[in-house]
Amino acid sequence: MNNRTVGAIDDTALEEQRRFASLVFDINEAYFSQTGRHRLALTHSYGCQQNVADGEKLNGQLAEMGYGFTDNADEADIIIYNTCAVREHAEDRVYGNLGALKHNKRRKPNMLIGVCGCMTQQEHVAEKIKKSYPYVDMVFGTYAIHKLPEMVYGTLLNRKRVFDLEERQNYITEGLPVRHDGTLKAWLPVMYGCNNFCTYCIVPYVRGRERSRSSETIIAEAKQLVESGFKEIMLLGQNVNSYGNTTPGELSFAELLKRINAIEGDFRIKFMTSHPKDATAELFNAIAQSEKVERHIHLPVQCGSNRILKLMNRGYTAEKYLETIELARQTIKDAAFTSDIIVGFPGETYEDFKETLALLDKVRYDALFTFIYSSRQGTRAAEMEDPVPYKDKTEWFAELLKVQSKIAVEQYQKKIGSVVRVLAEAKGKTEGSLSGKTEHGTTCEFPAHEQLLGSFVNVKVTDAQNWSLVGEIQQ
Ligand code: 5AD
Ligand code: SF4
């Protein structure tokens, strides 16, 4: 297979994994007959939704191998950490949690411990885990999730550590069992990998080049989710706007949205992430025409200074970004926007940072996901001079939060008096209330009977509190 062709992990390879799964199932059944106890699995996925979606595939395979599930590490017979490498903090948490598992393993030497995901796809990290955490049995990368049954079988039987960090860059794995975390909201990956190489970001190195799933498979899966009662489908990709670009003749993302919108049923469509450089009129028109698609676009700007945007390799200027927002606003009535912001990119000055604040004031986001720059080994930004002390960056960060929380409250207050459509997802913070997200992605809480959990309700907004709306059901 050459570097440009996208292939699927073939059926024979998956069939082989199913055979391993059924062998493990038999071993687990034998254990149950002897002990009266089912073996239990605990998986934890760190980081982005894409990773959480991978975690559901790990769980699907574990269920097929006869494992039950637990949240309690002391009870677990197999623990898998599905890791994130986007920031150092996420990696440190994994190391901390892995360190704590040493005691579990000492108490229960037969338990299995696995580490997978983006962290392990970096050579220096895989080496560190191999050396410093000798009680970790399985270390495998983002390209080896489908090989879990073989790895579990091998470690159960031979008690030997296994490592699979091969880069199967151009492959897509279809047909893996998925165990959804809930019954209301489902993740649906439409593509994997990223070609953008933003200079701060490790993702293209650990998840490989962009490859899109076939629209036929995605639409069939969406139908199935709706038929099984899911009320929200979140389409996932690092940059959904370039969906299909690497597959000749494939639908555009805008067209895909319209086709999923045409599926019968009462459900909502969300998607993330849209890269601003590829967000087009076609996309906004598709959203405007598709009533099931939420009126909210997550369009990460990262920063407001053109100098820094260039160093980040983002492919747009602040002015171009603002034009895109304006186009979206004109096309989609009442659109809401959110963004990711990085503070303290190498070489960013306070003047640059002020341009980010100025941009926030112009766009007026409903919410932000804010990060202090974290240097990632192997990225281009990691080689850039970074003279600003971390303490200064934390001060800028605090200033950013202050500015945004004022904007958010003002944005939310504008909603008072309007009627919003909410998917009642969970019990609210106040006794006797439910909470859920509006079509703009805002949390809304309202008094309601539990019977309404899982349905869409119209709510009249009566108040706006920190980070959420409060309202009453409109009959
Ligand atoms: N440091 C800080 N934030 C980062 N992100 C990605 N890489 C880094 C990094 N090295 C943020 C970006 C991205 C989000 C998912 O994580 O804002 O959009
Ligand atoms: Fe990272 Fe940029 Fe790709 Fe997003 S678009 S995953 S920030 S490289």
Side-chain angles (χ1 to χ4, degrees):
M1 167 133 328
N2 75 38
N3 272 342
R4 287 169 200 283
T5 323
V6 173
I9 298 286
D10 66 49
D11 286 347
T12 330
L14 284 184
E15 196 42 58
E16 201 186 344
Q17 293 306 318
R18 274 183 219 118
R19 203 172 51 78
F20 281 117
S22 99
L23 291 172
V24 176
F25 183 88
D26 292 343
I27 296 172
N28 283 341
E29 277 299 290
Y31 175 85
F32 178 65
S33 334
Q34 280 166 18
T35 61
R37 179 185 166 275
H38 280 295
R39 282 204 167 120
L40 298 176
L42 183 160
T43 64
H44 185 76
S45 292
Y46 299 77
C48 69
Q49 286 88 348
Q50 193 76 259
N51 220 34
V52 176
D54 282 351
E56 293 186 338
K57 288 182 188 151
L58 293 171
N59 288 345
Q61 294 179 94
L62 288 164
E64 214 166 69
M65 288 184 255
Y67 285 96
F69 291 87
T70 177
D71 289 332
N72 181 351
D74 293 334
E75 263 180 18
D77 300 280
I78 179 167
I79 296 182
I80 301 179
Y81 288 150
N82 183 25
T83 62
C84 167
V86 164
R87 283 170 293 275
E88 195 181 356
H89 176 67
E91 294 197 345
D92 288 345
R93 270 177 56 209
V94 171
Y95 289 131
N97 292 347
L98 266 186
L101 287 186
K102 189 174 182 176
H103 307 288
N104 294 65
K105 187 83 171 195
R106 198 175 289 147
R107 254 184 284 124
K108 217 166 146 184
N110 285 333
M111 78 178 294
L112 300 184
I113 300 177
V115 184
C116 64
C118 293
M119 260 175 92
T120 57
Q121 210 65 63
Q122 304 165 93
E123 221 174 291
H124 67 282
V125 175
E127 275 312 307
K128 177 167 170 172
I129 297 174
K130 279 184 202 173
K131 272 212 199 95
S132 311
Y133 302 86
Y135 48 90
V136 171
D137 304 282
M138 299 174 280
V139 184
F140 55 106
T142 54
Y143 307 96
I145 285 176
H146 64 288
K147 295 191 79 179
L148 184 64
E150 182 177 347
M151 288 186 272
V152 172
Y153 181 74
T155 37
L156 268 180
L157 233 67
N158 308 327
R159 310 298 327 166
K160 253 186 149 165
R161 308 176 84 193
V162 290
F163 305 101
D164 187 333
L165 301 160
E166 193 186 320
E167 291 194 10
R168 301 175 181 89
Q169 283 257 3
N170 294 307
Y171 285 91
I172 284 192
T173 313
E174 293 294 359
L176 287 185
V178 172
R179 182 178 184 270
H180 291 286
D181 289 342
T183 51
L184 264 190
K185 308 201 289 184
W187 314 113
L188 177 43
V190 301
M191 60 193 298
Y192 303 101
C194 181
N195 286 355
N196 292 311
F197 288 93
C198 301
T199 54
Y200 50 81
C201 187
I202 195 74
V203 169
Y205 302 92
V206 293
R207 286 200 171 261
R209 295 295 65 71
E210 265 176 31
R211 53 224 185 265
S212 299
R213 301 179 68 198
S214 98
S215 50
E216 222 174 293
T217 313
I218 297 167
I219 294 165
E221 221 166 278
K223 264 191 196 141
Q224 218 171 37
L225 289 167
V226 174
E227 277 162 19
S228 351
F230 283 92
K231 296 284 181 210
E232 183 180 297
I233 296 177
M234 168 74 97
L235 307 175
L236 293 178
Q238 303 297 342
N239 176 13
V240 290
N241 299 336
S242 51
Y243 171 80
N245 282 1
T246 50
T247 323
E250 187 49 281
L251 301 181
S252 65
F253 184 65
E255 194 52 40
L256 182 66
L257 272 184
K258 289 197 239 168
R259 304 270 178 108
I260 297 176
N261 188 69
I263 296 172
E264 264 182 50
D266 193 17
F267 67 102
R268 180 182 278 169
I269 305 164
K270 296 191 182 196
F271 60 93
M272 81 184 327
T273 298
S274 276
H275 195 305
K277 78 176 166 54
D278 304 313
T280 57
E282 191 204 359
L283 173 74
F284 301 145
N285 283 324
I287 299 172
Q289 290 162 25
S290 306
E291 74 291 349
K292 290 173 185 144
V293 178
E294 67 168 353
R295 266 51 202 146
H296 159 226
I297 310 176
H298 182 62
L299 204 61
V301 70
Q302 309 296 358
C303 110
S305 147
N306 287 340
R307 192 176 71 83
I308 298 299
L309 283 170
K310 190 147 200 264
L311 287 175
M312 286 178 163
N313 189 34
R314 288 293 288 175
Y316 53 83
T317 59
E319 293 73 25
K320 181 79 195 34
Y321 180 87
L322 289 169
E323 272 172 32
T324 306
I325 292 274
E326 193 44 43
L327 180 64
R329 284 217 159 102
Q330 279 168 15
T331 320
I332 308 160
K333 189 176 147 279
D334 201 19
F337 298 92
T338 54
S339 176
D340 297 343
I341 302 280
I342 297 178
V343 171
F345 183 84
E348 182 173 349
T349 61
Y350 187 65
E351 294 309 307
D352 292 311
F353 170 69
K354 279 207 306 212
E355 293 192 45
T356 300
L357 297 185
L359 183 129
L360 300 193
D361 196 43
K362 288 186 187 127
V363 179
R364 309 197 67 77
Y365 295 103
D366 274 19
L368 287 182
F369 300 87
T370 47
F371 312 102
I372 294 184
Y373 168 75
S374 170
S375 176
R376 307 282 65 213
Q377 190 175 321
T379 60
R380 270 162 55 207
E383 307 298 318
M384 297 178 191
E385 290 224 14
D386 190 4
V388 174
Y390 190 76
K391 187 173 160 293
D392 292 8
K393 295 186 184 183
T394 60
E395 281 166 17
W396 301 359
F397 187 76
E399 192 175 346
L400 174 78
L401 295 188
K402 209 164 138 206
V403 169
Q404 175 56 26
S405 59
K406 188 162 171 284
I407 295 175
V409 168
E410 285 165 13
Q411 289 293 98
Y412 290 178
Q413 272 169 352
K414 280 202 243 161
K415 297 265 186 284
I416 296 177
S418 69
V419 175
V420 290
R421 190 157 188 262
V422 183
L423 173 60
E425 289 167 28
K427 287 191 194 171
K429 286 198 203 106
T430 329
E431 186 71 29
S433 73
L434 297 181
S435 103
K437 291 271 175 26
T438 69
E439 61 270 54
H440 297 110
T442 316
T443 303
C444 180
E445 189 163 311
F446 49 92
H449 197 280
E450 265 182 49
Q451 270 175 347
L452 285 177
L453 269 177
S455 47
F456 287 101
V457 283
N458 289 328
V459 177
K460 176 142 192 192
V461 180
T462 54
D463 198 6
Q465 298 182 345
N466 267 355
W467 316 115
S468 66
L469 303 173
V470 178
E472 287 160 4
I473 291 188
Q474 182 105 4
Q475 300 301 341

